[in-house]
Amino acid sequence: MSLTIALPKGRLFEESVELLLKKGIISKPIKEGRKLLVECHPFKFLLVKPADVPVYVENGVADLGIAGYDVLLEREPNLYTLLDLGIGFCRIVVAGKEESKDKYFKETYIKVATKYPRIAQSFFSKMGIKSKILYLSGSVELAPTIGLADYILDIVQTGRTLKENNLVIIEEVANSTARLVCNKASYRNKHKQVLEFFNKLK
Amino acid sequence: MPVEERFFSFDDSERLKQSFLNACLVFEDYKFLMLPTIERHEHKIITQHYRPFFIGTCQDGGFLSLRADWTVSLARFLSSLRHLELPLKVFYWGNVFSLVGDSERFQMGIEHLGVKEVYSDAEVIRKLCEYLRICSVIDFVVNVGHMGIVNRMLEKYPDKHRIIKAMFEKNFSELQSYTELTELLYMQGGKEVIQEFASKHSEFSRECGELLEISEYLENIPVVFDLSEIRLQPYYTGIVFEVFHPRLGYPLAGGGRYDKLYSLFGRDIPAVGGAVYLDRLLEL
């Protein structure tokens, strides 16, 4: 029985492949291209959108996957989170225009644009702030500039995108790194292979 | 259609009907029990993972909720009986409700009351496996653990909730600073795993003995031991199990021993039980 592994395309992809190479799990690099199913004996890799990794793993079409903590926090999938891989570090933050900063801490009702509606909802409700969440699937940083929302909740790596859109970090929500996730049935049915993979990555 | 609502097709309805008829066959020597769908909310059982579906208030000022857990409802009812003949074997078939995930779910389950010996735990697992096979589910693994070990190990940690969550997720990274808990995560496999664990931990010799004993009873059933196996319902005290199918990412059935639950309702009755999650059978 071979293992199928869901890999996130985009910012985490290169780091993930590098890690797999470094740990001797694969011997030659996988390229991110149009091909979405890459066989690399004895593994099959699915190249999928980062936010979708838990879906593939939870439903068992992939045994393992590499998913950002941000995605896991947002989706709350029913799977095992075996390892913190320590790659793909970023911060989940609330950001806004410099001049909105003071106002932010006094608000009881705020409008927030985000790709992470669940994280946002639970973060603000924990602080007793009523929030209107505007779900966007990208270009979130545009929202405060054009007045769609005063604040955004998003992930930040270098902060360059924020700066270019005249935004500053107002509050930190959580730190995120990539995790190795595992399907609950595969953890039993393919335990030997999963453990072998896990031990190499550890 | 609101997300809370689910309609079953004729095919799925037929399969649910069969699941009931099969239960009547396999559990012929069990007592069948109907319980109210609307019940008084039992505040003694609240945990983080138990989110009741409140629907109103009772005339006496309590709260009414939809049944969340058959085992608890059964314990409330049986404890209230003035005359209860033990040992007793019960089976039930019906829905439970939750605010988390699917609102309405269907379960077929059994409970053995009044027997504290391990053969009773084994009998519950064996009968549920027989039931699954009759429902045409052949390819499965029964994962067996022991809450007695986990609970006692976790007692000494002040941040128990965080640790239980990490154990439930099998989060090796989060638990790496707790040597004994990491060790538990690795304790997965056949009988030899239990023997190895028992040789190092004499304080858990009773629990390990129970696990070794149950493996004797379950020889022709595919069993994998997993000492970090956790069930989130707070009432489990002994052997616990979950049944996994290769094509399903979540358990198909589960249960375990809960010897202290009846004491919440003023009775002292050892009990073990388990349920098959029928909606998940439909996914296969």
Side-chain angles (χ1 to χ4, degrees):
Chain A
M1 278 189 291
S2 69
L3 289 177
T4 304
I5 298 141
L7 292 182
K9 296 199 288 184
R11 79 177 172 93
L12 256 177
F13 185 77
E14 252 170 65
E15 271 186 275
S16 301
V17 172
E18 227 168 81
L19 184 74
L20 295 176
L21 278 168
K22 199 175 88 189
K23 301 280 183 176
I25 291 170
I26 52 174
S27 50
K28 52 177 198 283
I30 307 168
K31 290 236 165 58
E32 188 179 353
R34 285 178 200 274
K35 214 166 164 216
L36 301 178
L37 176 72
V38 180
E39 303 230 14
C40 197
H41 189 76
F43 307 113
K44 264 188 233 161
F45 291 99
L46 309 178
L47 277 50
V48 303
K49 238 183 129 165
D52 296 340
V53 169
V55 182
Y56 291 86
V57 177
E58 182 174 348
N59 290 288
V61 288
D63 303 301
L64 291 163
I66 294 180
Y69 181 62
D70 55 326
V71 171
L72 298 176
L73 213 53
E74 176 63 24
R75 291 230 181 208
E76 292 179 12
N78 190 357
L79 38 71
Y80 291 140
T81 314
L82 300 179
L83 271 184
D84 184 341
L85 297 172
I87 56 170
F89 178 83
C90 62
R91 290 177 295 165
I92 307 171
V93 303
V94 178
K97 287 195 255 180
E98 178 73 51
E99 59 265 36
S100 310
K101 210 170 168 176
D102 287 339
K103 209 172 70 178
Y104 172 81
F105 291 100
K106 294 178 200 143
E107 306 256 40
T108 55
Y109 175 85
I110 57 174
K111 264 207 276 186
V112 184
T114 185
K115 278 189 278 191
Y116 302 94
R118 262 165 96 166
I119 298 178
Q121 187 72 54
S122 97
F123 179 71
F124 291 115
S125 76
K126 259 184 211 149
M127 294 195 303
I129 299 170
K130 178 99 183 137
S131 56
K132 178 169 180 183
I133 312 286
L134 304 170
Y135 171 72
L136 297 174
S137 59
S139 305
V140 180
E141 294 82 1
L142 194 58
T145 318
I146 55 169
L148 176 64
D150 289 332
Y151 309 100
I152 64 170
L153 183 147
D154 205 4
I155 52 168
V156 182
Q157 273 181 297
T158 58
R160 207 187 310 146
T161 320
L162 287 186
K163 208 176 232 171
E164 277 172 22
N165 289 283
N166 297 319
L167 300 177
V168 293
I169 294 175
I170 298 180
E171 194 169 24
E172 308 244 349
V173 178
N175 286 336
S176 171
T177 45
R179 311 293 163 104
L180 177 70
V181 294
C182 180
N183 174 271
K184 288 193 170 181
S186 304
Y187 189 77
R188 269 95 201 178
N189 298 319
K190 300 185 181 176
H191 188 240
K192 219 191 228 165
Q193 293 98 312
V194 168
L195 204 66
E196 208 175 300
F197 191 92
F198 168 85
N199 281 331
K200 279 189 187 159
L201 265 186
K202 206 168 49 163
Chain B
M1 205 186 289
V3 289
E4 288 81 6
E5 224 174 35
R6 169 164 189 194
F7 289 98
F8 291 102
S9 65
F10 281 116
D11 281 350
D12 282 349
S13 303
E14 180 62 27
R15 290 175 73 187
L16 283 170
K17 181 182 103 189
Q18 281 306 329
S19 76
F20 177 68
L21 296 175
N22 287 337
C24 296
L25 270 177
V26 175
F27 305 108
E28 206 184 355
D29 55 332
Y30 284 59
K31 288 231 161 74
F32 177 66
L33 197 61
M34 294 282 292
L35 288 173
T37 309
I38 297 172
E39 58 182 19
R40 169 198 273 281
H41 172 60
E42 198 40 74
H43 59 88
K44 291 169 190 158
I45 318 286
I46 290 194
T47 69
Q48 274 183 314
H49 310 285
Y50 179 85
R51 306 251 300 271
F53 218 115
F54 287 117
I55 51 166
T57 43
C58 318
Q59 293 185 3
D60 66 5
F63 293 105
L64 287 173
S65 63
L66 296 177
R67 174 177 50 233
D69 186 313
W70 275 97
T71 301
V72 176
S73 304
L74 206 71
R76 277 185 61 219
F77 170 65
L78 296 176
S79 308
S80 73
L81 295 178
R82 271 203 278 179
H83 178 71
L84 181 64
E85 219 168 285
L86 294 173
L88 173 69
K89 293 199 235 177
V90 181
F91 95 87
Y92 57 81
W93 189 100
N95 42 8
V96 286
F97 299 85
S98 165
L99 278 178
V100 190
D102 295 330
S103 322
E104 184 179 15
R105 308 162 198 197
F106 285 81
Q107 297 185 346
M108 190 300 301
I110 58 175
E111 315 275 342
H112 289 197
L113 306 163
V115 186
K116 56 175 188 295
E117 281 75 24
V118 175
Y119 76 80
S120 192
D121 305 50
E123 185 68 3
V124 166
I125 294 177
R126 213 180 50 75
K127 286 296 257 186
L128 287 176
C129 290
E130 185 186 335
Y131 175 74
L132 284 173
R133 287 188 179 126
I134 288 201
C135 294
S136 313
V137 183
I138 309 297
D139 207 5
F140 55 78
V141 178
V142 184
N143 208 62
V144 178
H146 202 300
M147 285 309 283
I149 298 176
V150 184
N151 283 341
R152 198 130 58 85
M153 263 196 189
L154 291 182
E155 256 168 29
K156 52 176 168 284
Y157 298 105
D159 49 351
K160 212 172 135 187
H161 281 307
R162 187 177 66 83
I163 292 179
I164 288 181
K165 185 169 178 284
M167 290 278 277
F168 190 68
E169 291 174 351
K170 303 227 185 277
N171 195 327
F172 285 77
S173 297
E174 179 111 17
L175 294 172
Q176 65 183 350
S177 51
Y178 309 91
T179 327
E180 56 173 11
L181 299 179
T182 307
E183 186 195 356
L184 268 199
L185 287 175
Y186 280 107
M187 288 295 135
Q188 204 200 354
K191 261 201 303 218
E192 68 288 347
V193 170
I194 307 300
Q195 281 154 347
E196 184 197 331
F197 186 78
S199 69
K200 284 192 241 159
H201 296 271
S202 56
E203 70 276 25
F204 293 117
S205 60
R206 187 175 58 82
E207 288 84 355
C208 291
E210 289 179 8
L211 289 167
L212 290 171
E213 192 183 341
I214 204 167
S215 76
E216 301 290 318
Y217 291 122
L218 298 175
E219 273 200 327
N220 44 13
I221 287 170
V223 170
V224 176
F225 289 106
D226 180 354
L227 291 186
S228 63
E229 160 91 31
I230 280 194
R231 306 266 303 152
L232 293 176
Q233 292 90 335
Y235 46 72
Y236 288 112
T237 52
I239 287 178
V240 287
F241 65 92
E242 280 184 327
V243 181
F244 285 91
H245 188 278
R247 272 192 288 123
L248 213 56
Y250 16 84
L252 201 60
R257 177 163 286 280
Y258 50 96
D259 286 344
K260 295 281 181 292
L261 180 61
Y262 280 76
S263 67
L264 289 180
F265 306 107
R267 298 292 274 262
D268 178 24
I269 305 175
V272 53
V276 172
Y277 313 130
L278 299 171
D279 312 68
R280 293 178 179 176
L281 274 194
L282 297 182
E283 287 183 42
L284 290 177

